[in-house]
């Protein structure tokens, strides 16, 4: 509370100090021991974005996911996002090769595609990625149906992305779609947060951490 | 898992059914009894955005916040956001008066302002809202320093917004800034999620729920 005639509160105002203290708290409280070093760096950033130190218990990833996604970004791969909030949050200047960030959800063809395919607009929008899928980094931070649709496209012969960050959130299909990604028979590199938690902020944090050169 | 040569998974593909099932699950599992009807509607949407039914235990709001924010939007008030992800997620077509959505973080004057004021860029960006604050709906979904800075501006005589949705996330100052908003001596209408949780998705869900005519 401000005191007397002073309208100032007492809090940390230095961005670098805030980051340092945040990451120190996360490392003190979160159980990160089971994570490989490159994945640990990513999960710390995901915890930072959601405020929950118990997140690592729900994290599962293929051993190659961070390396595969990072290599793809360095090679210029696009980041394909299911939601505009995910696309909006990715820090452009961190991307190593001026990488394109794609979200097709607002494309005018999507409503018709969704009706024709009998699925959600979030899922139908992925059809517009088809010619960019090969070697891409996919970031699904909102819609379980998008993640299921991606697996169906790949199962039916679509090109394979370099890595899939599968972090849809919610109560219908979220847990199931992430389990399906973790169980995928295609050898896809993946990162998931099992259960209902996920979302655009966590997904953006994962992409930004992977894109960053610092470890 | 897909079976045989069929690449299709079994999941709900109808958007309306997904929404209905999601909200039914939330209402079955979450303890919403202590919330007024208009706030309950907002909190259900916030739970939907984060996947966590225990959220209501951390929600605190002034009795007038939903009504005040909704009336402000109907009257054409802008929505002032601390982060681009918040601004990006708000559904334009739900806003009742073509309301302006403002995020000043990317303004070229912000880095200098932050250096001059000795604070973060997220906080300094609020100085660029000053002439729009009167009667606005403020949505802070990322930076605790932005929420503290808002309270300091108002304490020093800046115009008062109609409502403040204070949902910054994280480990340094988030809980404290939200407590300060809840304790504000200015009579501000407010909504907070106490503790470390918060973030852009939850904040966007609150704005979109308030903007919606349906209850």
């Amino acid at each position: 509370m401000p005191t007397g005639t002073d309208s100032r509160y007492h809090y940390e105002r230095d961005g670098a100090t805030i980051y340092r203290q945040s990451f120190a708290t996360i490392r003190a409280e979160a159980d990160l021991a089971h994570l490989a070093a490159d994945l640990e760096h990513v999960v710390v950033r995901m915890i930072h974005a959601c405020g929950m130190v118990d997140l690592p218990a729900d994290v599962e990833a293929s051993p190659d996911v961070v390396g595969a996604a990072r290599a793809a970004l360095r090679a210029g791969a696009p980041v394909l996002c299911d939601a505009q909030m995910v696309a909006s949050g990715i820090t452009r200047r961190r991307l190593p090769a001026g990488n394109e960030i794609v979200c097709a959800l607002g494309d005018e063809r999507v409503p018709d595609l969704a009706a024709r395919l009998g699925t959600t607009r979030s899922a139908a929008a992925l059809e517009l990625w088809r010619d960019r899928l090969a070697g891409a980094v996919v970031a699904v931070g909102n819609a379980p149906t998008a993640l299921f649709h991606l697996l169906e496209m790949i199962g039916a012969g679509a090109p394979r992305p370099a890595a899939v960050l599968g972090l849809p959130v919610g109560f219908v299909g979220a847990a199931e779609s992430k389990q399906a990604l973790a169980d995928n028979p295609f050898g896809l590199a993946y990162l998931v947060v099992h259960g209902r938690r996920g979302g655009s902020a966590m997904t953006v944090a994962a992409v930004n951490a992977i894109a960053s050169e610092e470890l």
Side-chain angles (χ1 to χ4, degrees), chain A residues 51-194:
Chain A
M52 298 181 287
V53 294
D54 68 337
L55 197 70
D58 291 338
V59 170
E60 186 184 344
S62 58
D64 56 337
V65 67
V66 176
R70 190 166 278 160
L73 291 179
R74 285 182 183 154
V79 185
L80 309 180
C81 311
D82 70 325
Q84 192 52 49
M85 275 186 76
V86 176
S88 165
I90 295 171
T91 307
R92 269 64 180 167
R93 65 182 157 68
R94 281 205 194 180
L95 293 171
N99 309 64
E100 196 179 7
I101 300 170
V102 178
C103 174
L105 188 54
D107 190 286
E108 60 184 11
R109 293 168 288 179
V110 167
D112 280 352
L113 260 177
R116 185 143 49 84
L117 297 171
T119 190
T120 65
R121 282 181 289 173
S122 293
L126 273 64
E127 292 293 330
L128 303 177
W129 295 352
R130 199 177 268 276
D131 61 353
R132 283 153 151 159
L133 258 183
V137 174
V138 174
V140 176
N142 185 46
T145 52
L147 187 49
F148 272 127
H149 194 78
L150 176 72
L151 294 171
E152 291 176 337
M153 283 170 67
I154 293 169
R160 290 156 45 105
V164 181
L165 311 176
L167 300 159
V169 61
F171 298 89
V172 176
E176 295 82 353
S177 67
K178 293 180 282 193
Q179 190 62 55
L181 174 58
D183 294 341
N184 85 81
F186 316 118
L188 292 174
Y190 69 89
L191 169 66
V192 299
V193 171
H194 284 295

